[in-house]
Amino acid sequence: MGDFARKLIRAVPALPYIGLGLWFAWAALAFGSTAWLSESEPNGMNIGIMFMLSSLGCSLGLIAGAVRPQFAQPFLTRRWLLLLAGAASSLSCVVIVLAGPFYLQALFPPAAIWPLGRACAFLSGLGFAPLLLKSGALYSSLVPRRAILYSSLSTLIAVSIYYIVVGSPSWQPVAGGPSLAGSIGFCVLPLATAACAALGELTECDQDKTARPPFSFAKLCLVIFVFSLVAAAIRALVVVPSPLAVTIAGMKPVMLARIVMALAFALMAVELDAGRLNFGKLYSLIMVVVVVLVACCPLAEGAASILSWVITFMANFLEFILWCILAFVVYQKKLSPTAVFGWGFGLFTLGSSIGWVFGVFGLPSLETVIDPTILYLALASMVLIGSVVVFSERDFGSLFESHDVAQPTLDEILDYDIMRGAANSEEGERRFGRALESIGTAALLTRRESDVLRCLAMGYDGGMIAKELGISWHTVRTHTTNVYAKLGVHSKREVIELVDARVRSLGE
């Protein structure tokens, strides 16, 4: 990395992580605006085709990275490959704009141009796959609270870009064609996403990259796939037949709601204690709301579009939650981010693509032969069964269950930023040091065990301790076991409570 890039990162540490926000912004422009469309579009069919093919390309790229990590790994370590993927996606977007009725279709028969536009829609999503894998790896290296904070920042950036582009003067290079601001945003954002992600550096530590995710992770992926399929099908029913003005009008309150969501999560990441950051309850809430909304679709009649956009927001909400959960799983269990994000986010995106196809071609036909009430109850039941039977709120416990003394629990990793701030002041640092010294002396800890004790009291996990002390993961695990035995505790949380109690006693 050049000196300028290093200075840039030092000035704006969040820069490599906002690539996620640029992808969010591109998706909002591509699937919820007229950024790349001409005024002659009668409805949202081309948005639907773009969504289906781009999401399919992205999902296949993500899943391929999970199945064959050796193919995805170079994109995580070689910046030029990442930039090449972003450039390919941007070039595909340029061709998509040119494939409209006022450019290439004016020179060639539409039948010859349409296949080119469809192929580029698929390639635009495929190019984003390595960018998302790199972003996932970057987020997985963050302390969880910071991952939440940067995810919130990315959402706010995405909404800001969306409103800037949609609200810009609609100057058109060709009368009746897409606006200049919309075309620039649509075509430049993929390369900008790659540029941000390429600035991030991944440091390797002694992590078990070959370990398999727990079985509960597979169940989560299955439920996420079903949820995204149903949510996308409901949205497709409204977007595809409606005028584009209806789509834009529906997207605006969704984006405003995402602002509120992002601000709420940013506040939680900074202010709340770990016990109140309950992602399991949020997951259950989203599932219950969507089940009720889908079941009510046949009764909505005139309000069907409102229900559709509420479901769209809930899907965005779950997408945000899913991104954070995947980062937490990698961080806690030291798994391969390529495998976890490839399967988790890949199946979410694949479900969205298949759901859109089902919403456009399947649901309308089924409504003619099956009572709509029964049909939508069946869809709602699919989500309900998944969220109650397959992967429920209780399964979050098994997803983050720890069988290793050096491996923290979910509550512990969500507490990290707060714990690290415990010894910030000079007086607090002195008391903290004296507390550790007295505890270590009384327990007859060795010098290295005392070093591990200090790291544990600061909230570090096994991988962080290994990097901090320059020792292996297995050595950390051995020292941690010895520290627990000598102190008579069974978890890092008990170590922290013991040290905190000693610090308070020294301050009295």
Side-chain angles (χ1 to χ4, degrees), residues 408-490:
T409 64
L410 178 59
D411 282 349
E412 287 173 341
I413 64 175
L414 287 172
D415 260 340
Y416 281 179
D417 274 1
I418 294 174
M419 293 171 184
R420 290 180 187 179
N424 281 341
S425 68
E426 185 176 346
E427 176 60 28
E429 175 64 29
R430 284 198 295 268
R431 288 203 303 267
F432 185 69
R434 291 202 307 271
L436 291 174
E437 184 179 357
S438 64
I439 292 172
T441 300
L444 302 178
L445 298 184
T446 66
R447 182 184 62 81
R448 184 56 83 186
E449 288 169 353
S450 296
D451 293 337
V452 171
L453 170 63
R454 182 181 183 88
C455 292
L456 290 171
M458 294 291 287
Y460 291 4
D461 66 10
M464 295 166 66
I465 296 174
K467 288 193 292 183
E468 180 74 16
L469 301 181
I471 57 180
S472 73
W473 166 269
H474 299 292
T475 303
V476 169
R477 183 165 52 188
T478 299
H479 287 317
T480 301
T481 302
N482 293 338
V483 169
Y484 285 0
K486 291 182 179 181
L487 297 183
V489 299
H490 302 89

Side-chain angles (χ1 to χ4, degrees), residues 335-354:
L335 302 174
S336 165
T338 302
V340 172
F341 278 88
W343 283 116
F345 219 69
L347 286 174
F348 178 85
T349 311
L350 180 62
S352 297
S353 178
I354 296 175

Side-chain angles (χ1 to χ4, degrees), residues 23 26 30-31 36-37 45-61 85 88-99 113-129 186 190 349 353:
W23 178 73
W26 181 85
F31 312 137
W36 55 282
L37 294 169
M45 177 56 78
N46 279 330
I47 288 181
I49 293 173
M50 177 69 185
F51 185 95
M52 287 184 281
L53 294 175
S54 180
S55 298
L56 180 62
C58 186
S59 64
L60 293 181
S89 187
S90 283
L91 181 60
S92 298
C93 291
V94 171
V95 176
I96 290 170
V97 172
L98 295 179
I113 300 302
W114 287 340
L116 178 63
R118 304 298 189 261
C120 286
F122 178 85
L123 292 175
S124 68
L126 186 63
F128 267 113
F186 179 67
T349 311
S353 178

Side-chain angles (χ1 to χ4, degrees), residues 9-290:
I9 295 301
R10 284 198 296 269
V12 189
L15 193 57
Y17 305 94
I18 66 174
L20 176 65
L22 300 182
W23 178 73
F24 282 157
W26 181 85
L29 292 176
F31 312 137
S33 78
T34 57
W36 55 282
L37 294 169
S38 66
E39 293 180 351
S40 62
E41 301 286 341
N43 53 40
M45 177 56 78
N46 279 330
I47 288 181
I49 293 173
M50 177 69 185
F51 185 95
M52 287 184 281
L53 294 175
S54 180
S55 298
L56 180 62
C58 186
S59 64
L60 293 181
L62 289 169
I63 294 173
V67 175
R68 290 286 186 269
Q70 63 271 26
F71 295 148
Q73 193 63 30
F75 289 95
L76 304 185
T77 55
R78 299 175 186 173
R79 292 184 176 86
W80 69 271
L81 280 177
L82 208 64
L83 292 172
L84 183 63
S89 187
S90 283
L91 181 60
S92 298
C93 291
V94 171
V95 176
I96 290 170
V97 172
L98 295 179
F102 296 94
Y103 295 101
L104 293 179
Q105 288 187 32
L107 303 175
F108 302 97
I113 300 302
W114 287 340
L116 178 63
R118 304 298 189 261
C120 286
F122 178 85
L123 292 175
S124 68
L126 186 63
F128 267 113
L131 309 187
L132 290 175
L133 290 175
K134 176 63 179 289
S135 293
L138 290 173
Y139 273 80
S140 301
S141 67
L142 291 172
V143 170
R145 280 181 180 264
R146 194 168 297 278
I148 298 172
L149 193 61
Y150 283 167
S151 298
S152 302
L153 175 62
S154 291
T155 301
L156 293 174
I157 289 173
V159 175
S160 299
I161 293 174
Y162 174 83
Y163 277 112
I164 288 172
V165 172
V166 171
S168 296
S170 58
W171 186 80
Q172 300 160 317
V174 175
S179 71
L180 179 63
S183 299
I184 291 175
F186 179 67
C187 297
V188 170
L189 280 173
L191 186 57
T193 302
C196 288
L199 290 173
E201 291 186 319
L202 298 174
T203 58
E204 291 292 332
C205 62
D206 190 15
Q207 295 181 353
D208 185 5
K209 297 296 185 182
T210 62
R212 293 184 178 181
F215 179 65
S216 53
F217 175 74
K219 297 196 295 180
L220 172 64
C221 291
L222 176 60
V223 174
I224 291 299
F225 173 80
V226 173
F227 173 93
S228 60
L229 188 154
V230 173
I234 301 299
R235 184 186 176 198
L237 278 177
V238 173
V239 171
V240 170
S242 301
L244 294 179
V246 173
T247 297
I248 296 175
M251 275 297 293
K252 288 180 178 178
V254 170
M255 300 304 280
L256 287 174
R258 291 178 72 175
I259 292 178
V260 176
M261 177 197 74
L263 291 175
F265 272 98
L267 179 63
M268 287 191 291
V270 174
E271 296 291 340
L272 293 188
D273 59 75
R276 298 173 66 183
L277 281 169
N278 196 320
F279 281 80
K281 291 189 181 301
L282 290 174
Y283 162 84
S284 296
L285 175 64
I286 293 170
M287 293 295 176
V288 169
V289 171
V290 170

Side-chain angles (χ1 to χ4, degrees), residues 358-379:
F358 178 60
V360 173
F361 302 106
L363 269 180
S365 300
L366 289 175
E367 286 180 339
T368 62
V369 296
I370 301 176
D371 187 300
T373 301
I374 297 175
L375 179 60
Y376 285 95
L377 281 176
L379 292 176

